[in-house]
Amino acid sequence: MARSHRYPSDLSDLEWAYVEPLLPSPSKDGRPEAHDRRDIVDAILYVTHNGIVWRALPVDFPPWKTVHGMFDRWRRRGVTIIVHDGVRDEVRRAEGRDPAPTAGVIDFQSVKAAPTVSAVTRGYDAGKKVNGRKRFIVVDTLGLLLTVLVIPADRQDRDGARQLLVDHYFTTPTCRYLFADGGFAGRFVTWAATVVRTTVQIVRKKEGQKGFEPLPRRWVVERTLAWITAHRRLARDYERDPANSESFIHWAMIRTMVRRLARRTPATRWTPRKTSET
């Protein structure tokens, strides 16, 4: 029986229409599924958006063990990535882009880790003064997620970026041109061109720049990181397994993208604000 009460994080009928065809068909072997797929997805998005523990799911959702089990099963079988990539292709088509991107932007953020994160999978980022993990991402020029990697925060930036680009090389073979900030300059650029055949263009701050100013090509990845951390489950890292952190990031982006599709809202382009001289 479908739920009668709906939450702000739930998918609308139109949003669900983009997700449902991308999910695998229920298995014909064994016992039939007892709960509606849409309720399972809504429950996962509820946890992602509201940052609650699995056991705190409202009672009108399926049992938390069922929801968590499906979240884990879909992660291990690659279903979450299939749904994410399928929705991303739809967004790119709606924006008049080819589904296969040819350029992207790379960046990372350090996030604090909760006590549930084991010492083996966390570390201390001395530069950012953060005890936790680093999230490395590659996004397309619309800010849509292409590749994500979660590692301990004490790993060097360039080491994490190398590991990310190896994954990116196989998952997105058409995207061989990336923009990056000055922290990736130097040997990493040479390594990327030689090993993974990817051109990395460094976008530097303007000479004499003071304070914050969005940089061309670079601002889209900062916006994506803001989209991700707007989901409370991702405001810090709570997951024992870094793979679960990556899966929650995919679910956060799924929710962000289907809402854009349903509202038919184009990507916001940053333009300098006009100022008047006084």
Side-chain angles (χ1 to χ4, degrees):
M1 181 181 296
R3 294 163 40 237
S4 57
H5 184 73
R6 313 304 294 180
Y7 295 92
S9 58
D10 291 352
L11 298 181
S12 67
D13 292 342
L14 182 55
E15 291 164 355
W16 173 242
Y18 288 105
V19 174
E20 184 180 21
L22 299 170
L23 294 171
S25 301
S27 175
K28 297 181 180 179
D29 300 327
R31 186 174 59 185
E33 294 181 359
H35 301 280
D36 190 280
R37 288 278 185 89
R38 183 172 177 177
D39 290 342
I40 297 289
V41 171
D42 282 342
I44 293 173
L45 294 177
Y46 187 93
V47 172
T48 305
H49 184 251
N50 294 285
I52 64 168
V53 296
W54 291 105
R55 292 175 183 269
L57 269 173
V59 295
D60 54 342
F61 283 116
W64 75 267
K65 289 186 178 180
T66 301
V67 178
H68 178 267
M70 192 66 78
F71 170 88
D72 187 60
R73 191 175 307 121
W74 282 346
R75 176 188 64 78
R76 288 185 285 104
R77 295 181 180 178
V79 173
T80 305
I81 293 178
I82 290 172
V83 173
H84 172 273
D85 291 357
V87 175
R88 185 189 65 214
D89 291 349
E90 286 296 323
V91 176
R92 288 186 60 83
R93 291 189 187 97
E95 293 285 333
R97 306 293 185 91
D98 190 295
T102 57
V105 190
I106 182 174
D107 203 358
F108 76 95
Q109 69 174 173
S110 295
V111 292
K112 294 181 179 179
T116 51
V117 176
S118 65
V120 178
T121 62
R122 68 193 295 160
Y124 184 72
D125 180 352
K128 301 289 180 64
K129 294 180 173 56
V130 171
N131 187 337
R133 288 173 173 161
K134 287 180 179 177
R135 297 169 180 161
F136 286 84
I137 63 172
V138 176
V139 303
D140 66 9
T141 53
L142 294 174
L144 307 179
L145 185 68
L146 300 178
T147 315
V148 59
L149 174 69
V150 177
I151 60 174
D154 57 357
R155 290 275 300 276
Q156 291 294 321
D157 300 350
R158 291 181 179 86
D159 292 340
R162 288 189 182 100
Q163 185 177 344
L164 177 72
L165 282 201
V166 170
D167 295 341
H168 181 68
Y169 179 82
F170 292 104
T171 59
T172 318
T174 59
C175 184
R176 299 276 70 87
Y177 197 100
L178 299 178
F179 298 93
D181 66 17
F184 294 100
R187 288 182 293 178
F188 173 73
V189 175
T190 304
W191 176 89
T194 304
V195 178
V196 291
R197 302 175 184 176
T198 300
T199 300
V200 177
Q201 179 179 331
I202 304 300
V203 180
R204 301 184 184 277
K205 294 181 179 180
K206 297 178 181 178
E207 186 175 352
Q209 176 181 328
K210 294 182 180 179
F212 173 77
E213 181 178 340
L215 299 176
R217 302 292 185 181
R218 285 272 311 129
W219 69 274
V220 293
V221 70
E222 302 291 349
R223 183 184 61 176
T224 304
L225 293 171
W227 286 342
I228 291 171
T229 52
H231 295 75
R232 292 187 178 181
R233 186 79 181 202
L234 295 165
R236 66 167 53 193
D237 201 316
Y238 295 94
E239 312 312 316
R240 292 184 175 89
D241 186 348
N244 285 340
S245 297
E246 295 170 4
S247 188
F248 271 117
I249 290 171
H250 281 114
W251 279 109
M253 289 303 298
I254 289 169
R255 180 176 179 272
T256 300
M257 291 187 295
V258 293
R259 298 206 164 198
R260 176 186 293 187
L261 283 169
R263 296 168 183 172
R264 295 297 184 187
T265 303
T268 303
R269 308 282 191 248
W270 176 83
T271 54
R273 287 185 297 175
K274 295 181 179 180
T275 58
S276 57
E277 295 182 2
T278 57

